[in-house]
Amino acid sequence: MTLDQKYSTGVVWQDFQHKELMDLFIKLKKARADKTDRDAFRFTIAFLSMYINHHFKLEEEYMDLYYYPDREDHKKEHRSYIKTLKSFRANHKTYSEEAMDELMTKIKEWILNHILGDDKKLGAHILSAEKAQRLGKNEK
Ligand SMILES: [Fe+2]
Ligand SMILES: [Fe+2]
């Protein structure tokens, strides 16, 4: 399955990582509907903690590399997701249906607000910077 075009930034590694998050969300939705989400709770939190670190770091490396003009705002958004996850972890040490629903809402908001907004803008900047770089190389 490929990433829905609506969510695609066109940057291969970014799309791949965003798809990981969206696949997880789809699995959680199914598990929640089947009432088998209890086991997925701890995994989801552990996954998100790891994912956020790795994914945000990589996006931020590219922002710096290509002098992305909105990088400060975008990094701020990342910091705020890290904070949100931290406080969620602190407030929900164990599974409850309410906690799982809250977590899923947060992931959904992240996909809709951040990936469809800031990340698509960043992706467009990366693509054009890489294109400019290729053209520059061809001229030499
Ligand atoms: Fe981002
Ligand atoms: Fe992202």
Side-chain angles (χ1 to χ4, degrees), residues 13 17 50-65 75 78-79 82 122:
W13 60 263
Q17 293 183 357
M50 182 269 306
Y51 177 89
I52 257 181
N53 254 327
H54 176 67
H55 178 66
F56 289 175
K57 208 173 145 216
L58 192 57
E59 281 189 354
E60 290 175 15
E61 275 173 26
Y62 274 81
M63 288 177 210
D64 293 338
L65 180 68
K75 285 178 190 177
H78 285 174
R79 296 285 89 74
I82 291 170
L122 171 63

Side-chain angles (χ1 to χ4, degrees), residues 2 5 21 53 55 59 67 72 83 90 99 102 115 120 123 136:
T2 53
Q5 271 313 106
L21 185 69
N53 254 327
H55 178 66
E59 281 189 354
Y67 303 101
E72 287 318 315
K83 253 174 116 177
E102 193 184 321
I115 295 180
K120 282 201 87 165

Side-chain angles (χ1 to χ4, degrees), residues 14 18 55-56 59 63 74 78 110 114 118-119 122:
Q14 208 186 16
H18 288 163
H55 178 66
F56 289 175
E59 281 189 354
M63 288 177 210
H74 197 138
H78 285 174
W110 176 2
H114 192 73
D118 296 339
D119 282 350
L122 171 63

